[in-house]
């Protein structure tokens, strides 16, 4: 009998083989892997929500730090990510080559973050505003570093464990559904855990409990990172996705940082789809960061109800949980890029409808908030599902350039966290211009009408404008399904955990 490789194969058989191979690969992405990866969003959702929701308010209304200074503290600590994230991305790629896994970085972040997160909300009673500002800045900077140790390799994983266009959408959809649940849990439950009096002891309880939950979610997700055999020599095989080469010789921290920056700049320069997607996501992170930071102030000074902040989060996130599968379906039918444009346009329209909140506050605001939640679900799921496509497309189409998943995710995380931080900074700038009055814990000062209007517009008009600008960037995104799922000889042999 002739060897199998010499038998003629018809085009139809080749096509069936390709489809069967793809279906087989989808089955290999086990529910346990999907669930473990999704649980990581309990950690990312908690860290993304609570500091954005509570930290500026904690500084201005519990520690009596002036709004402008508080904005600098929050923004400065998060802008640190611009420096550290590309470095962590480089280190994660290097660790992948050396150990066959991104697990070590993720585990370090998961273990460290409960300590630093709790310390952020543990300013001693009686501390001066200067001492309180420095305490929060240092503790939150360390917490942000621990978070990046987890988040950067976490974002790089989908390109390695889910190799197809639709399978990445499926993986990310479950992750973002969990993210939406985590935002609802922390956003609505955080104020309850802190207590209505907003005492320093309440904030400490919040920091300890939330830090432990965040760390636990991250630790579970770190177990999903594929484990590979440590390379024994130059000819040792590397696991899938481990093509990102790093210099074998040890380099100094400064040298490693320079390499990391060079790789970050290189990813931005050579990948037009990545530049477009990152620009849109940055503007949307700026918008959502602004709304997140403003929510507590809207509840206290516009709606005049401590319960309102929990209701706002419930109105925003509950619809997101319900419609997440619909965005997944739509993405399969018309493409992720078109679905992302639709979700963004819906969010911009909904926030624009909230503008009357400035002069006619009332419970009606929960209706456009729910509509914004429908768009928010797509704005979270779709770009995160598009990012692995961009990474895989770059690895396949750039001659002589190996897979740099960590470099891409490092730049992405830096852009996202900086956008969220600038959102809080933008709110503090508005507060400074409009004459917002800071206070100590348990004291609610009388605010001027200009300050209240500034808070209301920061929650409505400004986010609408920012998301509208992101749509201008999105129209230049060029990747489609046919650019991603290109049959290759290697695709049938690609394996996942």
């Amino acid at each position: 009998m002739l060897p199998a490789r010499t038998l003629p194969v018809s085009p139809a058989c080749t096509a069936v083989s390709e489809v069967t191979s793809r279906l087989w690969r989808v089955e290999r992405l086990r529910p346990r892997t999907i669930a473990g990866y999704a649980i990581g969003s309990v950690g990312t959702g908690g860290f993304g929500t609570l500091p954005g929701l509570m930290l500026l308010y904690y500084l201005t209304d519990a520690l009596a730090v002036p709004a402008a200074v508080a904005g600098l503290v929050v923004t400065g600590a998060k802008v640190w990510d611009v420096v550290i994230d590309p470095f962590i991305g480089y280190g994660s790629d290097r660790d992948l080559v050396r150990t066959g896994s991104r697990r070590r970085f993720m585990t370090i972040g998961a273990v460290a973050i409960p300590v630093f997160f709790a310390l952020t909300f543990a300013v001693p009673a009686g501390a001066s505003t200067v001492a309180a500002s420095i305490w929060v800045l240092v503790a939150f900077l360390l917490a942000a570093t621990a978070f990046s140790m987890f988040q950067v390799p976490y974002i790089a994983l989908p390109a390695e464990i889910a190799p197809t266009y639709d399978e990445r959408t499926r993986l990310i959809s479950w992750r973002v559904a969990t993210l939406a649940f985590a935002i609802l849990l922390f956003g609505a439950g955080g104020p309850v855990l802190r207590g209505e009096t907003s005492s320093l002891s309440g904030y400490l309880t919040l920091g300890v409990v939330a830090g432990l939950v965040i760390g636990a979610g991250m630790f579970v997700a770190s177990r999903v990172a594929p484990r590979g055999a440590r390379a024994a020599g130059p000819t040792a095989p590397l696991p899938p996705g481990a093509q990102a080469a790093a210099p074998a010789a040890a380099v100094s921290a400064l040298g490693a940082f320079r390499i990391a920056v060079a790789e970050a700049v290189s990813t931005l320069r050579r990948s037009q789809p990545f530049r477009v997607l990152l620009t849109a996501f940055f503007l949307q992170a700026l918008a959502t960061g602004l709304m997140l930071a403003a929510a507590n102030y809207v509840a206290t000074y516009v709606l005049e109800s401590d319960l309102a902040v929990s209701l706002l989060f419930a109105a925003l996130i509950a619809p997101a949980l319900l419609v997440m599968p619909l965005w997944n379906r739509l993405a399969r039918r018309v493409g992720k890029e078109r679905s992302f444009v639709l979700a963004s346009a819906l969010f911009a329209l909904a926030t624009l409808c909230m503008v009357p909140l400035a002069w006619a506050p009332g419970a009606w605001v929960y209706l456009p908030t729910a509509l914004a939640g429908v768009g928010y679900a797509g704005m979270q799921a779709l770009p995160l599902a598009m990012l692995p496509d961009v990474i895989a497309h770059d690895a396949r189409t750039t001659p002589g350039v190996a897979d740099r998943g960590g470099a891409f995710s490092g730049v992405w995380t830096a852009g996202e966290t900086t956008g969220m931080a600038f959102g809080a900074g933008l709110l503090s700038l508005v507060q400074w211009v409009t004459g917002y009055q800071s206070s100590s814990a348990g004291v609610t000062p009388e605010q001027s009408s200009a300050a209240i209007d500034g808070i209301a517009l920061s929650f409505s008009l400004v986010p609408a404008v920012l998301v509208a600008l992101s749509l201008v960037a999105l129209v230049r995104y060029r990747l489609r399904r046919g650019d991603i799922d290109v049959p290759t000889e290697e695709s049938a042999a690609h394996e996942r955990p």
Side-chain angles (χ1 to χ4, degrees):
M1 187 172 64
L2 292 174
R5 58 186 174 87
T6 64
L7 292 176
V9 180
S10 70
C13 289
T14 302
V16 170
S17 175
E18 174 65 25
V19 171
T20 303
S21 175
R22 289 186 180 185
L23 290 175
W24 178 79
R25 292 201 305 271
V26 168
E27 291 173 359
R28 289 296 304 275
L29 191 59
R30 296 171 293 182
R32 184 174 65 182
T33 300
I34 295 174
Y37 184 76
I39 288 173
S41 285
V42 172
T44 62
F47 190 82
T49 299
L50 279 179
L53 176 66
M54 297 286 189
L55 195 55
L56 188 65
Y57 193 82
Y58 173 56
L59 286 163
T60 61
D61 284 47
L63 301 175
V65 176
V69 177
L72 289 175
V73 169
V74 175
T75 304
K78 295 295 284 182
V79 167
W80 168 246
D81 288 329
V82 176
V83 177
I84 197 67
D85 285 352
F87 185 69
I88 292 175
Y90 164 78
S92 178
D93 283 340
R94 183 181 175 89
D95 209 43
L96 179 65
V97 172
R98 294 167 58 188
T99 69
S101 177
R102 298 187 188 272
R103 181 174 296 197
R104 184 171 63 166
F105 274 48
M106 297 172 71
T107 302
I108 292 172
V111 171
I113 201 165
V115 176
F116 298 131
F117 192 83
L119 286 174
T120 302
F121 293 96
V123 176
S128 67
T129 55
V130 174
S133 299
I134 294 174
W135 178 293
V136 173
L137 175 64
V138 173
F140 190 49
L141 187 148
L142 292 172
T145 302
F147 177 72
S148 292
M149 290 285 289
F150 171 85
Q151 173 81 337
V152 171
Y154 179 65
I155 290 178
L157 283 183
E160 298 165 12
I161 64 177
T164 66
Y165 181 92
D166 287 330
E167 193 66 1
R168 289 170 194 144
T169 305
R170 175 173 170 242
L171 178 67
I172 296 298
S173 293
W174 281 103
R175 177 204 161 180
V176 176
T178 307
L179 177 66
F181 172 76
I183 293 172
L184 178 61
L185 174 68
F186 287 99
V192 175
L193 189 61
R194 175 195 61 185
E196 293 185 3
T197 59
S198 300
S199 65
L200 293 181
S201 61
Y203 277 108
L204 178 58
T205 301
L206 169 70
V208 172
V209 175
L212 289 172
V213 175
I214 289 169
M218 291 179 173
F219 185 80
V220 170
S222 70
R223 305 301 94 184
V224 174
R227 301 182 69 174
R230 183 184 298 270
T235 61
L238 295 178
Q243 299 91 341
V251 295
S252 66
L254 179 59
F257 178 73
R258 287 175 176 171
I259 294 172
V261 171
E263 289 190 358
V265 172
S266 177
T267 61
L268 287 169
R269 184 176 61 247
R270 72 174 181 266
S271 179
Q272 187 269 351
F274 183 61
R275 293 195 303 271
V276 170
L277 190 62
L278 180 64
T279 299
F281 198 65
F282 172 82
L283 289 169
Q284 294 185 2
L286 181 58
T288 54
L290 176 59
M291 292 185 72
L292 191 62
N296 249 314
Y297 298 97
V298 169
T300 302
Y301 298 106
V302 180
L303 299 176
E304 298 181 346
S305 168
D306 289 331
L307 183 61
V309 66
S310 296
L311 294 177
L312 284 170
F313 266 85
L316 180 70
I317 303 303
L321 285 168
L322 294 174
V323 303
M324 191 67 68
L326 300 181
W327 286 117
N328 187 11
R329 269 184 174 178
L330 186 65
R332 288 174 177 271
R333 176 168 295 187
V334 305
K336 302 173 194 178
E337 63 288 337
R338 294 190 182 97
S339 301
F340 188 23
V341 168
L342 178 60
S344 303
L346 183 62
F347 185 89
L349 176 63
T351 49
L352 193 62
C353 289
M354 298 181 195
V355 171
L357 187 65
W359 60 83
W364 62 267
V365 74
Y366 298 122
L367 181 59
T369 300
L371 182 63
V374 176
Y376 178 76
M379 284 169 53
Q380 290 295 303
L382 297 167
L384 290 173
M386 294 159 71
L387 178 61
D389 294 338
V390 170
I391 295 172
H393 179 264
D394 176 79
R396 190 180 68 246
T397 60
T398 307
V401 176
D403 185 5
R404 289 287 190 265
F408 276 96
S409 61
V411 176
W412 181 269
T413 303
E416 178 185 9
T417 53
T418 303
M420 295 289 288
F422 279 3
L426 181 57
L427 176 62
S428 68
L429 178 62
V430 172
Q431 290 175 327
W432 177 67
V433 170
T434 57
Y436 180 84
Q437 299 296 317
S438 298
S439 63
S440 300
V443 178
T444 304
E446 194 73 26
Q447 302 291 351
S448 66
S449 59
I452 294 175
D453 288 346
I455 291 169
L457 293 176
S458 296
F459 193 73
S460 54
L461 179 61
V462 182
V465 172
L466 290 170
V467 175
L469 289 174
S470 76
L471 289 170
V472 177
L474 275 178
V475 297
R476 299 179 60 246
Y477 184 81
R478 299 170 185 167
L479 292 185
R480 300 295 184 265
R481 184 192 303 269
D483 300 311
I484 307 303
D485 286 344
V486 178
T488 63
E489 293 180 2
E490 293 83 3
S491 63
H494 195 96
E495 305 229 345
R496 298 176 314 285

